[in-house]
Amino acid sequence: MSIIRRFLPVLLAVTMLAGCSKKAKTPESTATPAPAATAAPTPEPTQTPESALAMATASINATKDAPQVKDPLTWNEAADALMEKLLAEFGGEGMTLDAEDGFPYLLAVNRAANTVTVYTTDENNQYTVPFMAMVCSGGSDTPTGYWKTPVNYEWRLLMGPSYGQYATRIYDAYLFHSVPYYSQHKDDVEYDEFNKLGTIASLGCIRLAVVDVKWIYDNCPIGTPVVIYDDENDPGPMGKPGTIYTDPSDESKRGWDPTDPDPANPWDDAYETGTAIRSQAAWDQWDAEHENWLESLTPTDLQGWSTDSSIVGTRG
């Protein structure tokens, strides 16, 4: 017992020293996760009034093929580049950008892309300003080149036989005209052919919807310059309009071109504007002249047909 008492203070001292020599545990630090980065909202593209209008123009009636509308801010620059290219290709055939008095438009047909782009004049009186683009159908036999229109017709006998409204001759047997009709009646259009607009489908002529070919008939006097070229990768500075579908099983409407402004047309009047891509200037013209749109209508039913005594052959 005395031995234990003797060594007890020593044992206590050793125990205390050992306790003091132990390292205190450092509490583990808990990493605070960084807050997740919040992606900045992507700003919506700001549409100019003209770009919004161009999109609406081409899209609203396009029930078959969607339009390919280019940014209107690029139209003029793209047109300058294209005209430079066309002058290099067709200048030897007499092509010029200088407009003569009384001829406000040049018609440029991209055969490979089935698009007609209308150009009007700039401040230097040259055809460099995109005015309107129309969807069309050319053919594998459609020639390329530069010409001036020699004659036009309200109705024209075509190969088949078939018939075209608002025809304007381009060169030789090649014309701008409506989709062919089985007979010379406005309710007898070849509806299967109408559904081919925007593709290679004609026998060589340039087919367009009635609203577009009538615009050419009304606004492009005889002597208007026309250039036909190929560029399958680029329809033109404004893009390529969409197309309208007509249902072959709908006997009440299939015989009519949906864009024909004739009051007897059973299609909704909204289709009168067609699918053309219009500039603001083209829309202003439409608004100003639409009241007179019916004054130059062809008769709904017409016996006989227009003929051209100097040129017998006509494609379709």
Side-chain angles (χ1 to χ4, degrees):
M1 189 75 175
S2 60
I3 295 174
I4 293 175
R5 286 179 178 175
R6 187 182 300 170
F7 285 99
L8 184 58
V10 177
L11 291 172
L12 290 172
V14 171
T15 302
M16 291 178 65
L17 288 172
C20 291
S21 66
K22 289 182 179 178
K23 291 183 179 178
K25 286 187 178 180
T26 304
E28 294 182 3
S29 60
T30 303
T32 303
T38 303
T42 303
E44 292 292 328
T46 302
Q47 286 192 327
T48 63
E50 185 162 2
S51 65
L53 187 59
M55 283 298 299
T57 304
S59 303
I60 193 167
N61 292 330
T63 56
K64 182 173 176 282
D65 299 312
Q68 306 166 26
V69 184
K70 295 186 179 180
D71 183 351
L73 297 178
T74 69
W75 288 354
N76 288 346
E77 184 177 352
D80 288 340
L82 176 60
M83 286 304 169
E84 184 177 343
K85 174 184 173 183
L86 294 181
L87 280 175
E89 185 172 355
F90 300 108
E93 298 182 26
M95 181 177 176
T96 177
L97 299 184
D98 297 325
E100 297 180 18
D101 290 343
F103 299 95
Y105 305 108
L106 176 146
L107 305 174
V109 182
N110 186 339
R111 179 180 66 172
N114 293 290
T115 305
V116 178
T117 303
V118 181
Y119 295 84
T120 190
T121 55
D122 59 21
E123 65 277 7
N124 297 316
N125 203 37
Q126 292 195 318
Y127 299 117
T128 64
V129 180
F131 184 78
M132 178 165 54
M134 312 165 176
V135 68
C136 71
S137 281
S140 57
D141 290 338
T142 303
T144 59
Y146 176 78
W147 304 275
K148 293 185 178 181
T149 58
V151 66
N152 59 16
Y153 323 84
E154 290 184 344
W155 281 94
R156 182 68 176 104
L157 176 66
L158 308 174
M159 291 179 69
S162 58
Y163 306 84
Q165 282 199 82
Y166 303 111
T168 297
R169 191 172 296 280
I170 302 169
Y171 156 77
D172 195 51
Y174 303 94
L175 298 88
F176 293 111
H177 61 70
S178 67
V179 173
Y181 291 74
Y182 291 110
S183 63
Q184 205 161 357
H185 305 286
K186 291 189 177 186
D187 61 354
D188 203 16
V189 74
E190 297 182 17
Y191 45 85
D192 288 332
E193 294 300 308
F194 183 86
N195 284 334
K196 295 178 183 178
L197 274 175
T199 68
I200 297 294
S202 79
L203 298 178
C205 288
I206 303 300
R207 301 175 178 177
L208 300 107
V210 164
V211 64
D212 296 328
V213 77
K214 184 179 185 299
W215 183 91
I216 293 175
Y217 181 89
D218 287 346
N219 293 280
C220 298
I222 298 307
T224 292
V226 179
V227 60
I228 302 179
Y229 69 100
D230 281 330
D231 188 342
E232 62 181 356
N233 297 318
D234 186 353
M238 303 177 85
K240 181 176 181 176
T243 56
I244 301 171
Y245 177 74
T246 184
D247 185 354
S249 67
D250 187 346
E251 296 183 5
S252 66
K253 295 195 296 185
R254 69 184 185 186
W256 282 86
D257 180 312
T259 71
D260 194 318
D262 193 294
N265 191 344
W267 285 78
D268 192 287
D269 289 348
Y271 285 97
E272 279 188 22
T273 56
T275 63
I277 303 171
R278 290 178 172 86
S279 64
Q280 183 63 58
W283 265 119
D284 291 344
Q285 182 194 65
W286 172 271
D287 291 338
E289 297 182 0
H290 189 241
E291 291 184 4
N292 301 322
W293 189 236
L294 301 181
E295 292 184 2
S296 58
L297 288 181
T298 62
T300 303
D301 298 307
L302 187 67
Q303 302 303 316
W305 52 78
S306 303
T307 59
D308 182 348
S309 59
S310 63
I311 303 175
V312 177
T314 298
R315 298 277 177 152

